[in-house]
Amino acid sequence: MGVGKTAMGRYEPPGEKRGEWSPLRMDDEVVGRALRTQRGVKPVFVSVGHRYTLDGASDLTLRLAPKYRLPETTRAADHLGRTRD
């Protein structure tokens, strides 16, 4: 599954509450979701992976993002990518 900070397609902004979402579309196909992980912050963009449903990917994203906009795994990878040796 994937979680991104920028959309690769069109979407309508989801509601303001945590867990609200709207479809992310490319052409006329639903390719993911714009998912609100925290109240009042920009949504993240969730896509499915091998043997994963969009509902499952969204649920996991919410479980991994209890405090911040991005899931903890994405935050850690982003931090490591910015750290110099």
Side-chain angles (χ1 to χ4, degrees):
M1 63 175 261
V3 178
K5 296 186 275 187
T6 55
M8 298 279 293
R10 296 179 284 95
Y11 69 99
E12 294 293 323
E16 288 296 313
K17 290 193 281 184
R18 174 178 162 82
E20 300 220 26
W21 61 272
S22 63
L24 178 63
R25 298 178 186 276
M26 193 169 286
D27 298 321
D28 288 330
E29 182 182 355
V30 174
V31 294
R33 285 184 179 164
L35 176 66
R36 188 89 56 192
T37 55
Q38 300 298 322
R39 185 183 226 10
V41 300
K42 294 189 292 186
V44 296
F45 303 95
V46 179
S47 60
V48 297
H50 180 65
R51 298 181 66 177
Y52 234 82
T53 65
L54 200 45
D55 285 338
S58 297
D59 290 344
L60 182 58
T61 300
L62 287 171
R63 286 198 319 257
L64 292 171
K67 295 182 185 179
Y68 301 103
R69 175 179 175 234
L70 295 175
E72 291 300 321
T73 50
T74 305
R75 286 173 40 93
D78 189 50
H79 176 74
L80 287 172
R82 295 173 194 270
T83 305
R84 290 190 155 179
D85 292 316

